[in-house]
Amino acid sequence: MDVPADVLDEVMRAVGAEVTSLSRLSGGVNSGAFRATLAGRADAVLKAVPRAHAHSLDDVLRAQRVVEHMRRRGYPTPAWLASGATATHVWHVMDAVDASPAELTPALVEQLMDVVELQAGQASEPYDHWSYAWEVATGVRRTGAAHSPAAADLVERLQALCVDAQPPGEAPDMVHADLNPSNVLVRDGAVVAVVDIENAGSGTRATDLTTLLWHTFHSPLDDARTQLWTRVLTLVGWDGAAVLSATQVLLQLEWSGRVGHDDLAAEVVQRGYRVLDELLALR
């Protein structure tokens, strides 16, 4: 997808500068992220995506408020320079960061656990990922994914663990909601930025630790995964860990089905059973 002309016009009016040298950023499955040069300024990243629903602009403005709130508290996410919408797209422009997507190591997992601690008590928007996770894990909210027999068995077993889970009473923390390695930028072995914050809201920071945990099922991260399990259990207890784990697996299954990769779906099921086994061992 190229950046639509009307989006470029809106961006240039908002930032007060000519936008040139657009080049698509690689990585991930989402389209619409471009490296851009703003005349007289440092490079930036422009992200423009089709409007998904009537509240798409509200979602972008909410995310910008979260970014501003968290940056004031030392959270390492790039500043947003502007955001807005046309009739067909929503967009935002943020500072570019000269760094690479993370490849997780034990040291980086420890750094990210510290980053997540900056989210404690920082809920600023009533966009509750904790209640959403409870609805998904208990079957109140259906993801709409069609499952293979192996996946259906996994889903049934996970939801059975959550059937008596009580709905969360509060959502005190800021939640990134997609803390995967491709959204963590690293330079010289250090985390320098957390990006792709468009779905941020409130809830428990254990949500982001559970997402991070999902990406540690390979060597040499076994000890790091144990640390993540321990932190999640400390924050939300076993029932909460079951809810968050079930939601993670269910959303991964939905995503793998949406992109249509059978081998990826099989990998998700295999890892989902590992999550289930480790969760049960911690009961």
Side-chain angles (χ1 to χ4, degrees), residues 18-93:
E18 188 78 16
V19 180
T20 57
S21 303
L22 294 175
S23 59
R24 187 186 302 275
L25 294 176
S26 61
V29 297
N30 297 318
S31 62
F34 296 84
R35 188 75 172 242
T37 298
L38 306 183
R41 304 188 184 187
D43 282 357
V45 172
L46 165 62
K47 190 166 186 180
V49 296
R51 283 181 178 261
H53 49 73
H55 303 292
S56 292
L57 177 58
D58 292 337
D59 290 347
V60 170
L61 295 176
R62 181 196 72 243
Q64 182 166 2
R65 292 193 298 270
V66 172
V67 167
E68 293 169 352
H69 172 77
M70 293 304 297
R71 280 178 55 82
R72 290 193 293 268
R73 283 148 181 82
Y75 193 75
T77 195
W80 283 27
L81 307 179
S83 60
T86 65
T88 58
H89 288 74
V90 292
W91 59 266
H92 67 271
V93 182

Side-chain angles (χ1 to χ4, degrees), residues 102-113 179-182 184 208-230 232 245 248 252 267 270-272 274-275 278 282:
E103 293 185 9
L104 290 182
T105 64
L108 281 180
V109 171
E110 289 189 11
Q111 289 181 49
L112 287 168
M113 291 175 70
L179 191 63
N180 72 75
S182 68
V184 176
D208 291 330
L209 296 172
T210 304
T211 302
L212 186 59
L213 188 152
W214 176 261
H215 296 278
T216 61
F217 282 91
H218 56 86
S219 180
L221 297 175
D222 289 345
D223 289 343
R225 189 168 66 259
T226 297
Q227 293 176 18
L228 287 165
W229 276 122
T230 300
V232 170
S245 298
Q248 179 68 30
Q252 290 288 339
E267 180 181 338
Q270 182 182 43
R271 194 179 308 179
R274 291 190 66 183
V275 169
E278 291 191 4
L282 294 166

Side-chain angles (χ1 to χ4, degrees), residues 49-222:
V49 296
R51 283 181 178 261
H53 49 73
H55 303 292
S56 292
L57 177 58
D58 292 337
D59 290 347
V60 170
L61 295 176
R62 181 196 72 243
Q64 182 166 2
R65 292 193 298 270
V66 172
V67 167
E68 293 169 352
H69 172 77
M70 293 304 297
R71 280 178 55 82
R72 290 193 293 268
R73 283 148 181 82
Y75 193 75
T77 195
W80 283 27
L81 307 179
S83 60
T86 65
T88 58
H89 288 74
V90 292
W91 59 266
H92 67 271
V93 182
M94 64 182 180
D95 283 336
V97 178
D98 184 17
S100 301
E103 293 185 9
L104 290 182
T105 64
L108 281 180
V109 171
E110 289 189 11
Q111 289 181 49
L112 287 168
M113 291 175 70
D114 290 340
V115 168
V116 171
E117 281 305 298
L118 296 174
Q119 301 169 203
Q122 296 303 322
S124 60
E125 296 288 331
Y127 189 69
D128 188 351
H129 290 285
W130 197 193
S131 294
Y132 172 81
W134 177 82
E135 291 176 358
V136 170
T138 57
V140 172
R141 182 189 295 262
R142 301 292 181 180
T143 63
H147 300 304
S148 67
D153 174 72
L154 174 62
V155 169
E156 183 178 352
R157 292 178 64 186
L158 286 166
Q159 290 188 324
L161 297 179
C162 304
V163 67
D164 294 324
Q166 297 300 304
E170 59 179 351
D173 304 332
M174 174 269 191
V175 176
H176 179 286
D178 193 15
L179 191 63
N180 72 75
S182 68
N183 291 333
V184 176
L185 301 183
V186 174
R187 185 191 311 124
D188 298 329
V191 174
V192 295
V194 177
V195 298
D196 205 8
I197 204 168
E198 290 95 309
N199 199 35
S202 63
T204 170
R205 61 195 186 278
T207 296
D208 291 330
L209 296 172
T210 304
T211 302
L212 186 59
L213 188 152
W214 176 261
H215 296 278
T216 61
F217 282 91
H218 56 86
S219 180
L221 297 175
D222 289 345

